[in-house]
Amino acid sequence: MTEQSDNQLPVALVTGATSGIGRAVALNLARDGFAVIVHGRDTTRGASTVAEIEANGGQARFISADLSDAEAVNALAAQAGAVDVLVNNGGISWFGPSADLEIETYDQLFDSNVRAAYQLVAALAPGMAQRGHGSIVSIDSMAGHVGLAGGAAYGATKAALTAMSRAWAAEFSPSGVRVNTVAPGPVFTAESKRDLIENLAGTTLLNRGAQPEEISEVIAFLASDKSSYITGAVIPVDGGRTAV
Ligand SMILES: NC(=O)c1ccc[n+]([C@@H]2O[C@H](COP(=O)([O-])OP(=O)(O)OC[C@H]3O[C@@H](n4cnc5c(N)ncnc54)[C@H](OP(=O)(O)O)[C@@H]3O)[C@@H](O)[C@H]2O)c1
């Protein structure tokens, strides 16, 4: 964690923190001493994440914004203000025959998973650079690194996010801002995707899917000063799936 001179906690913005991996990241970062901005759309689940953080003695507030709406993302960045850590986690996936993907869904995938992250980094990273410190962690996927049948568009959004992250590392790290991506394998989050996750779980070297906390621990490490010499990296957290 970065020390603040006026006893205020350092601030972390976590997109998509109302469920799954993002929720686990928000809880983790709050435990590590960050005031967490919990982002999502669902106000009830947002309030529940904030309540759990506060019950554990941490600080959090919720901001609602639709990542596929460019104006809403700009408003989110403005409401967040200066942040020390940005976790680009929020996003959607779609798997199915390529011929079945509606063009609107294709656009939503890229708007939510790629453009929103671009907007947030464009809005928030210059301030980090000016202050001389910051950590940006974006959530890629093993789908961005191996060909998964039915995952062409989703995988492309994740590969794009990682390509942008490398460029951001080149742009901002000379000013003290570290920029990394974490590429999870199958993680048990949304119940509606359990069958897909179970199938992919069987393709990993560890022969199982991950729990959200197994991903959030790595993200929290990258957010912290413990990873002070890591930037421009892609960390696979995929049970060995992309190693073979
Ligand atoms: N689960 C996996 O197996 C896996 C594997 C590799 C990578 N990932 C990546 O990890 C990240 C989190 O995935 P997850 O499985 O934890 O997902 P999840 O449980 O479905 O949660 C997704 C989060 O993103 C938010 N979100 C989605 N679309 C949004 C939009 N248009 N505007 C605002 N918020 C939006 C949701 O907020 P609301 O519901 O409040 O709108 C929710 O908080 C994603 O980027 C995903 O691609 C997941």
Side-chain angles (χ1 to χ4, degrees), residues 39 63-80 111-112 115-120 123:
H39 158 269
I63 302 178
S64 170
D66 182 348
L67 293 177
S68 67
D69 176 341
E71 280 185 26
V73 177
N74 284 336
L76 166 63
Q79 286 175 65
D111 291 352
S112 308
R115 190 182 66 195
Y118 188 97
Q119 287 180 268
L120 290 176

Side-chain angles (χ1 to χ4, degrees), residues 16-21 39-42 45 65-68 89-92 112 139-141 154 158 184-187 189-190 197:
T18 57
S19 67
I21 296 168
H39 158 269
R41 283 169 303 191
D42 188 298
R45 282 190 279 106
D66 182 348
L67 293 177
S68 67
N89 163 81
I92 51 170
S112 308
I139 314 310
D140 182 355
S141 165
Y154 172 65
K158 293 302 181 178
V187 188
T189 54
I197 299 302

Side-chain angles (χ1 to χ4, degrees), residues 2-19:
T2 309
E3 280 186 31
Q4 307 285 291
S5 54
D6 55 359
N7 274 344
Q8 284 189 340
L9 298 181
V11 177
L13 167 59
V14 183
T15 66
T18 57
S19 67

Side-chain angles (χ1 to χ4, degrees), residues 1-6 8-12 34 81-86 121 123-137 168 171-180 222-225 227-228 230-231:
M1 170 199 332
T2 309
E3 280 186 31
Q4 307 285 291
S5 54
D6 55 359
Q8 284 189 340
L9 298 181
V11 177
F34 287 92
V83 304
D84 301 281
V85 165
L86 166 64
V121 170
L124 300 174
M128 294 179 181
Q130 211 165 27
R131 293 186 295 278
H133 66 87
S135 174
I136 299 170
V137 186
W168 289 327
E171 184 174 352
F172 297 111
S173 292
S175 305
V177 183
R178 295 183 299 100
V179 187
N180 296 290
L222 289 171
S224 80
D225 289 345
S227 58
S228 52
I230 303 180
T231 196

